[in-house]
Amino acid sequence: MKTHFAHTSTPNTTPRPPPTAYRLPPTAYPQYLPLMTSTPGSPARRDREERITATGIRLIGAAGRMVSDAAAAGLARPAHEDDLLYAATFQLRPRLGTATVNQALAVLSEAMGRAHSGYRPLDRDAGTTDVFGRFHAAQWQVATGAEQWTGELLWRHPHPTVPGVALTTHAVLSERPGLASLTVRVGAPGGLQAVCGPVGVGQAYPSFLADLNRTVRLVFDRIDADPRVLGERDIEDFVSTVLVGEDRPAPVALLAPTETGEYLVSPSELAEELIGVAHVYVMDRHPTTYRLSDALGDRRLSCYWGALRAYLPGFSCADRPSVHPLLVADRVVDPVVRAQVRGTLCLAGRGRIAEPAGVDELRGSAHARLPGAGKGDTRGSATPSAAHSSPVGGEREVGITGKTRLVRETMDRLERRVDEALGALDRLLGLNATLVDEITALRANNAVRGASATGLERRLGDIERLLREQFGLVATEVATGTDDEEIQGLDAVEEDDSDATTLAAAVRQAAVAHDDALLVLDEAVRTAEESPYRDADRAAAVLDAMALVARRRQAGTLGTSLRDAFRDLGVDYRRGISDGMPDRMRQQYMARLPNGEVVEAAEHIALGVSYDPRHCLRIYFTSRVPAEPRFVIAHVGRHLDGLSTT
């Protein structure tokens, strides 16, 4: 007997609640504030929590509550030394009776507010967690004991110059009776490679330390961060106890005055750039540099004529001069070159600063490092299986069979082979990068010289045509060996310039093609439109060469002054204008950046020696804006007025 079941469908009459709007953090997305109010519906759906992590993963309900705020924000300390870019420990001492910890919290809060306006001020008594997306997040924790107060900040923020790179600043403030300290560590996933070399490392330096040093005294290695002045009588003691001192842990940066007694870079500005990196000393007069050369016994190790030199730890008078970085002339005033030296010093000294104990360690929470965890383990990442896994060595080593030893030896040999192959690959990539750079430089050199030759031929053609028009010199044809048909053809080519690139178009094209190396201001485009300069191709080749030099400078591979770098490419670079130029005339060299800052664009490229604007062009720019690694081009056009020109 077969039984047949009738399949019936009953419509679902339960009313479906309207969708609930996403609950976004109001401080993170103020533009979506009108959507924050949920529509009426199911209480369970209306009360559901949602959290979006820094990597874009959406956690709903209980899953979101199981993840800590720091983990959801993707905040983590620099776990490996290779990711670490800067590390320093300071003692905080008051200036004029100020409360050091409160001043430090105010400076840190101000720095975070400049990066993103949504951060809440750091409170001495309460912790906070703010998440505003991939590049902006912070966690502040405090722990108070009977004899010690500790505050720990994990702050993720974008790199100031390298796009797409997020830095993590880990700061630990500690206060005991009569003693306050600050440890700062800055890192990025991928470390040196992520920030594109030593220049990016130097630019990742925490700028809030300069502001903090103005309110409290920062002391590292028992020496104040302020510059120290050396006279002639101080040189002998400086060389014997400071430079040659065996217990000197940090580099020494020595700045010399010029022959006129001036400094190419302000000593206070230099000291702010090197807080926690090197101790800054300044010689008071030019004759003091002679005393330094005598004390060192080798003027190649000395510092004079406005130069800046970094003496590394372990210095001796028998060292090779190239071991201790030296910046002279244009390289001293170039902030990118100084950032490269600072980055090199940061990388060399990052390992001597131990990671401080944070709030989690003081509280003894589960986020602390488990006993017996390896050096590379990150906090909170250990699992029961990892914690109870069998250790290598000790009593368990006896039970290892011969096959296991054979497997381990084979794996060790394989790892060594892989390391050797990776090392060879790195060397090959380095040679390839060097070859590509040389080929690019050669192409730029040929383009500049070819454009210059073309411009010279055009100029000679103009002169020839002018002579024939004014004097009717038929002898020109005989002297040059050209007949009437060739001359007419030359005239037709020169007169037919309908497809020629204009100067303004060349400037606009360079602004788009080289936006990573050149910042072309609107004023430069306007002056190019007004200029009657005829050799636009030559100007375009020079702009390409400027972009090449700027990129090599950003990567830290320039290795020479800007004057020599441009000279190798056949470009006439001039570092500035006369120091005696009156302020009235100096105003024409001032330029306004997109952020409103006014800078002096006195460096220039000279094309042509004539005062005729049809055959003479000047590209005025500056390479000395501290927060701008690109060349800022402010004027492309006629020669600006100077003491010898009108």
Side-chain angles (χ1 to χ4, degrees):
M1 180 177 179
K2 296 183 180 180
T3 304
H4 299 277
F5 295 93
H7 296 276
T8 59
S9 59
T10 304
N12 185 7
T13 58
T14 304
R16 299 186 62 182
T20 304
Y22 290 112
R23 300 186 177 183
L24 302 174
T27 54
Y29 304 96
Q31 66 270 30
Y32 296 128
L33 194 59
L35 301 178
M36 298 297 223
T37 305
S38 301
T39 58
S42 170
R45 186 174 182 87
R46 186 168 59 248
D47 295 339
R48 184 176 62 176
E49 296 181 2
E50 178 179 289
R51 172 178 293 173
I52 301 177
T53 67
T55 56
I57 300 177
R58 179 177 291 123
L59 304 175
I60 300 174
R65 291 189 294 271
M66 291 174 61
V67 180
S68 64
D69 293 336
L75 289 170
R77 306 177 186 180
H80 304 285
E81 184 177 342
D82 293 340
D83 296 338
L84 195 62
L85 306 178
Y86 171 87
T89 297
F90 306 94
Q91 287 76 45
L92 306 183
R93 297 178 181 174
R95 292 183 187 267
L96 301 178
T98 57
T100 55
V101 171
N102 293 338
Q103 290 288 345
L105 294 180
V107 170
L108 285 171
S109 299
E110 183 179 355
M112 295 168 63
R114 288 194 298 265
H116 195 284
S117 59
Y119 286 117
R120 288 171 285 182
L122 303 182
D123 193 339
R124 184 186 177 97
D125 301 321
T128 58
T129 299
D130 295 322
V131 181
F132 304 108
R134 176 184 174 190
F135 291 103
H136 294 282
Q139 183 189 44
W140 168 248
Q141 300 181 84
V142 294
T144 303
E147 297 292 333
Q148 179 178 355
W149 174 90
T150 301
E152 182 178 14
L153 173 66
L154 276 174
W155 175 31
R156 186 174 65 243
H157 51 96
H159 191 283
T161 58
V162 182
V165 175
L167 301 176
T168 298
T169 297
H170 179 212
V172 177
L173 267 168
S174 179
E175 184 182 35
R176 295 185 179 91
L179 177 64
S181 63
L182 170 66
T183 299
V184 180
R185 292 161 59 89
V186 180
L192 178 64
Q193 295 182 353
V195 297
C196 305
V199 174
V201 175
Q203 292 166 340
Y205 164 83
S207 59
F208 63 81
L209 291 176
D211 299 330
L212 183 59
N213 189 53
R214 299 188 190 104
T215 57
V216 301
R217 292 173 54 202
L218 292 180
V219 178
F220 65 102
D221 295 335
R222 303 183 300 277
I223 300 178
D224 288 355
D226 299 330
R228 310 184 72 176
V229 181
L230 298 175
E232 292 189 52
R233 297 181 178 180
D234 304 323
I235 292 298
E236 295 290 342
D237 183 66
F238 168 73
V239 172
S240 60
T241 62
V242 178
L243 288 188
V244 192
E246 296 181 357
D247 58 344
R248 175 165 64 91
V252 167
L254 182 60
L255 180 64
T258 61
E259 293 179 284
T260 60
E262 299 176 345
Y263 298 101
L264 296 180
V265 59
S266 170
S268 59
E269 178 184 353
L270 179 64
E272 291 179 351
E273 293 179 356
L274 297 176
I275 294 177
V277 179
H279 300 294
V280 177
Y281 290 81
V282 181
M283 288 182 281
D284 59 348
R285 300 184 306 125
H286 179 65
T288 308
T289 62
Y290 295 105
R291 183 64 61 88
L292 176 66
S293 299
D294 295 339
L296 293 175
D298 189 349
R299 67 175 185 177
R300 297 177 303 169
L301 289 170
S302 184
C303 181
Y304 45 86
W305 290 346
L308 170 66
R309 183 155 224 155
Y311 294 94
L312 302 182
F315 168 82
S316 72
C317 296
D319 290 347
R320 290 182 291 108
S322 59
V323 174
H324 306 281
L326 175 67
L327 302 182
V328 298
D330 295 340
R331 294 170 61 81
V332 178
V333 299
D334 193 329
V336 173
V337 175
R338 295 202 305 271
Q340 178 185 354
V341 174
R342 180 173 62 202
T344 303
L345 298 180
C346 286
L347 293 174
R350 61 186 175 179
R352 70 184 186 93
I353 304 298
E355 183 176 6
V359 171
D360 288 336
E361 286 83 347
L362 296 177
R363 291 175 178 172
S365 67
H367 293 285
R369 192 185 300 270
L370 293 177
K375 181 179 180 181
D377 296 339
T378 57
R379 288 158 180 78
S381 62
T383 61
S385 60
H388 298 287
S389 59
S390 298
V392 177
E395 298 179 357
R396 301 289 182 91
E397 183 70 23
V398 179
I400 297 178
T401 62
K403 182 181 293 187
T404 304
R405 292 195 185 93
L406 179 61
V407 171
R408 287 189 175 179
E409 293 176 358
T410 305
M411 292 298 296
D412 291 340
R413 288 195 298 269
L414 181 60
E415 288 180 359
R416 287 194 295 270
R417 294 289 182 87
V418 171
D419 291 339
E420 293 175 358
L422 291 176
L425 181 60
D426 289 339
R427 291 191 295 270
L428 181 60
L429 291 175
L431 293 175
N432 183 58
T434 303
L435 181 60
V436 170
D437 186 70
E438 292 178 356
I439 293 175
T440 305
L442 182 60
R443 288 178 176 174
N445 193 342
N446 292 337
V448 171
R449 296 184 186 277
S452 301
T454 303
L456 181 60
E457 292 177 359
R458 185 183 295 109
R459 184 80 183 276
L460 292 176
D462 292 342
I463 296 175
E464 181 181 355
R465 186 168 56 254
L466 179 61
L467 290 175
R468 286 190 287 105
E469 291 176 354
Q470 294 294 330
F471 303 102
L473 296 180
V474 182
T476 305
E477 303 175 7
V478 178
T480 58
T482 57
D483 53 16
D484 294 337
E485 295 180 357
E486 292 178 351
I487 293 178
Q488 292 175 0
L490 179 63
D491 293 341
V493 171
E494 295 197 3
E495 292 176 0
D496 185 14
D497 56 353
S498 58
D499 296 333
T501 303
T502 64
L503 180 62
V507 174
R508 293 192 188 95
Q509 182 177 359
V512 175
H514 307 304
D515 61 338
D516 62 323
L518 305 177
L519 174 58
V520 181
L521 303 181
D522 294 339
E523 182 66 14
V525 178
R526 186 189 66 79
T527 53
E529 292 174 346
E530 298 175 354
S531 173
Y533 187 70
R534 301 182 59 180
D535 295 334
D537 293 338
R538 184 184 182 191
V542 170
L543 290 171
D544 293 340
M546 292 180 65
L548 172 64
V549 174
R551 291 191 182 99
R552 294 171 61 184
R553 171 174 169 264
Q554 292 175 7
T557 59
L558 194 60
T560 184
S561 65
L562 289 179
R563 184 187 184 101
D564 293 339
F566 278 114
R567 183 182 58 189
D568 293 341
L569 298 177
V571 178
D572 185 5
Y573 164 81
R574 302 177 186 182
R575 57 173 296 184
I577 54 180
S578 174
D579 295 335
M581 180 173 291
D583 294 338
R584 175 183 57 82
M585 301 182 67
R586 191 177 290 271
Q587 288 298 320
Q588 60 187 329
Y589 297 92
M590 307 306 291
R592 186 177 297 275
L593 300 181
N595 60 2
E597 181 182 359
V598 178
V599 297
E600 184 180 80
E603 300 170 83
H604 55 281
I605 302 295
L607 282 74
V609 295
S610 170
Y611 290 112
D612 186 347
R614 296 176 300 172
H615 308 292
C616 175
L617 184 75
R618 294 295 184 268
I619 302 177
Y620 289 90
F621 71 101
T622 177
S623 63
R624 300 165 189 172
V625 181
E628 180 54 72
R630 298 173 291 181
F631 290 159
V632 180
I633 300 179
H635 177 96
V636 181
R638 68 177 183 86
H639 193 300
L640 296 179
D641 297 338
L643 294 178
S644 60
T645 60
T646 57

